[in-house]
Amino acid sequence: ETVWEKFIFISALASATSYLNQNIGEILSNSESKITYIELLHEIEDVAQAKGLKLPHDIVGQTILKLEKSPKEATSSMHRDLLAGKNTEVLSLTQFVVNEGRKYGVKTPVYEKIAALDQARADGIDAVRKAEIENDKILNEGKDEARKKAEEIAKKASEWIGRKNKLSQELANFIQGKSLNSKVKPVN
């Protein structure tokens, strides 16, 4: 049950910070955000009671006090992961509460809304990641083709430079020969 006391704090905090895109200070200073956080606490408390867990009668108040003592600029790891476009703990911290609520006949509408939104975000992040991987693959294939083309062009350029140098030398020789010939007086 001590584990559940910690889970209540972590789950509600992670769900609220991720959903609201706010840190602890912002949640505490915004009345609507604080109401959302408190609703999450009540929903998870109801789930814990339905499971038969013995929690302190004032678990919601204790959890709010704990949050108020936390650094105001802090946020949850799930929120940080979401901002960084990484996989989040939505299944274990948010969706788990929804699933347990369904299992025990407890309504968890705020958790359900957040779980659905976070899952949609995660699906979007996965879709973006897949697109980036595919794009990188295409770009790398394109780079290989571009490298081959560049090598062909460099080879042709080298051939042209070689021809130009040869022609320049022949021209120089021709001019030099003409100049030598012009100094020699013709014999009559």
Side-chain angles (χ1 to χ4, degrees), residues 9-27:
F9 177 77
I10 293 167
S11 173
L13 178 64
S15 299
T17 55
S18 298
Y19 172 67
L20 299 167
N21 193 25
Q22 295 177 340
N23 63 28
I24 291 172
E26 292 167 327
I27 289 172

Side-chain angles (χ1 to χ4, degrees), residues 97-112:
V97 177
V98 172
N99 295 344
E100 290 296 289
R102 288 180 183 146
K103 182 176 170 182
Y104 290 94
V106 176
K107 293 185 183 208
T108 57
V110 180
Y111 266 100
E112 287 177 26

Side-chain angles (χ1 to χ4, degrees), residues 28-150:
L28 291 173
S29 65
N30 180 308
S31 60
E32 288 181 30
S33 299
K34 192 169 183 180
I35 288 169
T36 298
Y37 177 71
I38 293 169
E39 287 174 343
L40 289 167
L41 291 174
H42 284 295
E43 287 181 10
I44 195 170
E45 176 190 33
D46 292 346
V47 169
Q49 287 175 348
K51 289 173 67 70
L53 299 172
K54 304 288 182 229
L55 297 172
H57 71 284
D58 62 341
I59 187 67
V60 171
Q62 286 181 21
T63 307
I64 292 169
L65 256 163
K66 186 175 181 179
L67 185 71
E68 289 172 344
K69 292 178 181 177
S70 299
K72 302 303 179 247
E73 68 282 351
T75 191
S76 65
S77 62
M78 186 163 102
H79 184 217
R80 283 190 302 274
D81 288 344
L82 181 68
L83 292 174
K86 297 179 180 177
N87 288 331
T88 68
E89 303 147 303
V90 67
L91 292 177
S92 60
L93 294 177
T94 308
Q95 187 63 48
F96 175 78
V97 177
V98 172
N99 295 344
E100 290 296 289
R102 288 180 183 146
K103 182 176 170 182
Y104 290 94
V106 176
K107 293 185 183 208
T108 57
V110 180
Y111 266 100
E112 287 177 26
K113 180 168 64 171
I114 293 171
L117 178 63
D118 284 349
Q119 190 58 55
R121 285 178 182 162
D123 291 346
I125 289 168
D126 286 345
V128 168
R129 257 195 225 112
K130 287 176 184 172
E132 287 173 345
I133 290 168
E134 193 61 30
N135 190 40
D136 286 347
K137 184 178 168 185
I138 290 167
L139 285 175
N140 286 333
E141 288 171 359
K143 285 179 186 175
D144 289 343
E145 287 179 32
R147 183 181 41 77
K148 288 176 187 173
K149 271 276 200 230

